[in-house]
Amino acid sequence: MKDSFNQAAQVQDSSLEDVLLTEDIYASLTCDNAHGFKAVVDHEIVGGAIVQIDDQTHHNHLDFLYVDTAHQNKGIGYKIWTALEQKYPQTVLWETCTPYFDTPFGNQPFGHKAIA
């Protein structure tokens, strides 16, 4: 996951050498309503996702979705997203995060975007 985000960061700003998301990943995985998933192709982990599922409001949150750098541009990210939508069909709203390095706003830790 870290390699995927580091590559995206360097595309946006070549001076970014190492994006450390360890604390963010740990915080996502340790929430009571956290669900982590891995995408496997031919017995190899090629991506994954971390979501927060609210069984009361069905306003759910996609914390992380990543595809290993060696497997990008093959439709795997789309398949991960489609599988999440199928697993949680009761979702009324998905909220997603965009890392600060992948937005035009620069130094903000994360931006949020709702997808209805």
Side-chain angles (χ1 to χ4, degrees):
M1 183 185 294
K2 184 180 169 189
D3 288 343
S4 296
F5 281 98
N6 280 334
Q7 180 179 358
Q10 289 178 348
V11 166
Q12 294 298 319
D13 182 348
S14 61
S15 69
L16 295 173
E17 292 183 21
D18 196 19
V19 177
L20 297 175
L21 297 172
T22 306
E23 290 178 21
D24 296 313
I25 294 166
Y26 180 77
S28 291
L29 283 172
T30 57
C31 288
D32 289 339
N33 57 347
H35 300 268
F37 299 94
K38 59 185 174 184
V40 179
V41 174
D42 295 328
H43 307 289
E44 180 182 2
I45 297 173
V46 297
I50 303 171
V51 297
Q52 307 294 325
I53 302 301
D54 188 325
D55 291 324
Q56 301 295 316
T57 66
H58 302 292
H59 289 195
N60 300 325
H61 194 270
L62 173 67
D63 288 352
F64 293 95
L65 189 154
Y66 79 99
V67 176
D68 181 85
T69 56
H71 297 279
Q72 292 177 354
N73 300 313
K74 297 177 182 177
I76 294 170
Y78 177 75
K79 288 178 182 177
I80 293 170
W81 180 250
T82 301
L84 289 169
E85 287 183 317
Q86 290 174 357
K87 181 155 182 67
Y88 301 105
Q90 75 285 6
T91 301
V92 173
L93 180 83
W94 280 105
E95 186 176 344
T96 64
C97 278
T98 302
Y100 70 89
F101 55 79
D102 208 14
T103 71
F105 303 111
N107 296 323
Q108 298 177 15
F110 281 95
H112 296 281
K113 181 170 146 184
I115 300 175

